[in-house]
Amino acid sequence: MELKQVEKIAKALGDINRLKILQYMHQHDGRVECMELGNIINLAQPSISHHIKKLTEAGLIEPQKDGRYYLYTLNQTTWQEYVQAIQTL
Amino acid sequence: MELKQVEKIAKALGDINRLKILQYMHQHDGRVECMELGNIINLAQPSISHHIKKLTEAGLIEPQKDGRYYLYTLNQTTWQEYVQAIQTL
DNA sequence: TTAATCAATCGAAACTTTCGAATATATAAA
DNA sequence: TTTATATATTCGAAAGTTTCGATTGATTAA
């Protein structure tokens, strides 16, 4: 993994709300429904949307639309590549 | 490791210059002399000092003063704890 | 249709980060 | 001592991030 992508992922991880989202996902089969997020992080809906976008742009999660609802799934590959990258920096 | 410390370390890792410093250290027995840093990242001296401070505050590196010179050493423990923390988030 | 719901986008305010210029401090050399 | 060198600190400006209300678009239900 390029250093530039490590930087991008690290930036995405550098926020307590986004870490809480990811922690929740890890504890729930790598998934979370957008509607649940309000219970996990106590922020207004546009703020949640903003954090989701950061995580998506970093390649850490992937959105799946199901009707009106969104399901977000952890991208285990990106996650492992990041761990690998910093382990062997 | 607390989520708050994970956040702090991730923030410290979320900058290409700091990643370059850490990468260099990993490739050189976990050490770097302050004087070398100018060659690794092409920034003014106060900026280098600023980045070193961020890494120090995150607990990722430790300064050792030797006369006029500084030697920075990787804190392998913090590093491993961070890897561990995100691996098992 | 119309109304309700979920989520993205916009725009503005508050806050944080980044970096260089100037200044300060510490050590060493002359 | 005086001077030079290495590093830190402080300050201010520019850029970037976070937050949230208002708006918008998409989907579903009535």
Side-chain angles (χ1 to χ4, degrees):
Chain A
M1 181 179 278
E2 295 289 331
L3 217 53
K4 261 290 175 194
Q5 203 188 335
V6 174
E7 182 193 23
K8 187 160 197 176
I9 294 173
K11 273 194 166 110
L13 295 179
D15 178 281
I16 198 78
N17 294 303
R18 295 195 286 266
L19 284 174
K20 280 180 188 167
I21 293 172
L22 292 168
Q23 186 173 56
Y24 181 90
M25 292 177 81
H26 271 284
Q27 290 164 357
H28 293 82
D29 292 325
R31 292 150 176 279
V32 70
E33 287 167 32
C34 193
M35 285 297 288
E36 291 172 71
L37 291 172
N39 304 320
I40 300 161
I41 58 171
N42 198 25
L43 291 176
Q45 181 266 318
S47 303
I48 291 173
S49 197
H50 161 79
H51 288 303
I52 286 294
K53 194 175 179 186
K54 289 269 173 178
L55 291 172
T56 307
E57 283 171 356
L60 287 168
I61 65 173
E62 277 161 12
Q64 287 172 250
K65 198 171 187 181
D66 180 17
R68 250 188 307 196
Y69 302 85
Y70 268 92
L71 178 74
Y72 298 101
T73 318
L74 260 180
N75 187 331
Q76 301 282 358
T77 307
T78 304
W79 190 264
Q80 274 164 35
E81 278 174 10
Y82 173 73
V83 172
Q84 183 76 19
I86 60 163
Q87 239 170 0
T88 63
L89 197 69
Chain B
M1 180 181 278
E2 295 289 333
L3 217 51
K4 260 291 175 195
Q5 205 190 334
V6 174
E7 183 193 22
K8 186 159 197 176
I9 293 172
K11 273 195 166 111
L13 295 179
D15 179 279
I16 198 79
N17 294 303
R18 295 194 288 266
L19 283 174
K20 280 181 189 168
I21 293 172
L22 292 168
Q23 186 173 55
Y24 181 91
M25 291 176 81
H26 271 284
Q27 290 165 356
H28 294 82
D29 292 326
R31 294 148 175 278
V32 70
E33 287 166 32
C34 193
M35 285 296 287
E36 290 171 72
L37 290 173
N39 304 321
I40 302 161
I41 57 170
N42 198 25
L43 291 176
Q45 178 269 320
S47 304
I48 292 173
S49 194
H50 160 80
H51 288 303
I52 286 295
K53 196 175 179 184
K54 290 267 172 173
L55 292 173
T56 307
E57 282 170 357
L60 287 168
I61 65 173
E62 278 162 10
Q64 286 171 252
K65 198 172 186 179
D66 179 18
R68 251 190 302 194
Y69 303 85
Y70 269 90
L71 179 74
Y72 299 101
T73 318
L74 260 181
N75 187 332
Q76 302 281 359
T77 307
T78 304
W79 191 263
Q80 276 164 35
E81 277 174 11
Y82 173 72
V83 173
Q84 182 77 19
I86 59 163
Q87 239 169 0
T88 64
L89 193 71

